[in-house]
Amino acid sequence: VFSSGCTDFIFVNPNDKIDSGVACEEFTDAGSRDTCFTDQAVKEKKDVLCERVQTPEGQRDDCYAKVAATTKDGFTCLKIEDSTKQFACADGLPEKFRDPKTCDSLGDTVIRDACNINAARILKNPALCYLVGDQKNACLSEVAAISNNPDTCELIDSSDAKEGCYIATAARAKNSGACQKIVSTSARESCLLAVAVSQAHTGLCNAIQTPAI
C-alpha cells in the first residue's frame, strides 16, 4: 500500500522536464506539490511559480529566496512577506539597492516601498524612509538599528515607536546615553536594562529605580 505522497513520486517524477510547473499540479499531497513548484521555480529561474506555493509556514517566502539566490536578483527578495527573511535576502544581494533611483521603476506601490526600505537599510540613509508613506517610522527604526545610530530614532514621529527604536538601537550600539532621551520612566529604565544586559554592565542597574524592572 502506497501513501498518496509516495504514489505521486512514482507517477510524476519532479526531476523530469516540467513545463512551467504544470505537472506539479498532479501531486495530491500539498507538501510535495509545493516542493515541486519551488524546485521548478529555481530550475526555470521564474519567481512567478512561487505564487503557486500554498503551504503555510513561509514556504512561499523560501521559494522566492531560493530563486533570488539563483538569479542574483535582489528585487525578487521584495516579494518575500516576512520582513526578517526579506531583509536577509536583500542584504545578501545588495547591488540593485545601491542606487535608490532603481526603485522608482517598480510600478507596484508595496514592492516599491519595500525596495526603498531595503535601500535605506543597505545605504544606511534615513532620508529614503520619507519615500515610503506610513512605513516611514518602521523604516527609520530599521536604519537606526542597522547603523547602530540611536540619533536616527529622533526622526520618528510616534512616541511609542520612538521609544521602541531607542531601546532596540541603544542595546545594539551599547549606548546608554540614548536611553536618557526617553521621556517615559518605565521605557527609559527598560532601555537601560537592555543596554546593561548587552554590555554585561551591572553598574547601569543602579540607575534603575522601578522594582519591576
Side-chain angles (χ1 to χ4, degrees), residues 45-129:
K45 299 181 180 179
K46 292 181 178 179
D47 60 30
V48 67
L49 290 174
C50 296
E51 296 174 10
R52 299 167 77 174
V53 174
Q54 300 299 319
T55 307
E57 300 179 358
Q59 289 196 40
R60 184 181 296 174
D61 284 350
D62 293 340
C63 178
Y64 285 128
K66 289 177 181 179
V67 175
T70 300
T71 60
K72 306 300 182 185
D73 184 353
F75 279 0
T76 300
C77 301
L78 303 177
K79 296 184 178 182
I80 297 174
E81 291 187 5
D82 182 275
S83 60
T84 300
K85 290 182 177 181
Q86 183 188 115
F87 294 155
C89 180
D91 288 348
L93 298 166
E95 291 308 316
K96 280 197 173 180
F97 303 102
R98 296 197 188 283
D99 180 2
K101 292 181 180 179
T102 59
C103 296
D104 295 340
S105 65
L106 301 173
D108 184 283
T109 302
V110 173
I111 296 296
R112 185 168 61 249
D113 285 351
C115 181
N116 281 312
I117 291 172
N118 279 284
R121 292 177 66 261
I122 289 169
L123 297 174
K124 299 179 181 179
N125 182 356
L128 296 176
C129 294

Side-chain angles (χ1 to χ4, degrees), residues 144-145 148-154 159 161-185 187-196 198-199 204:
N148 290 342
N149 183 8
D151 289 342
T152 300
C153 299
E154 295 180 13
S159 58
K162 184 180 292 186
E163 288 177 355
C165 179
Y166 278 131
I167 293 171
T169 310
R172 183 167 175 172
K174 298 182 179 181
N175 179 1
S176 61
C179 299
Q180 302 306 322
K181 298 180 181 181
I182 299 176
V183 176
S184 166
T185 300
R188 182 170 61 252
E189 294 189 344
S190 293
C191 181
L192 288 169
L193 176 61
V195 176
S198 70
Q199 290 183 307
L204 288 175

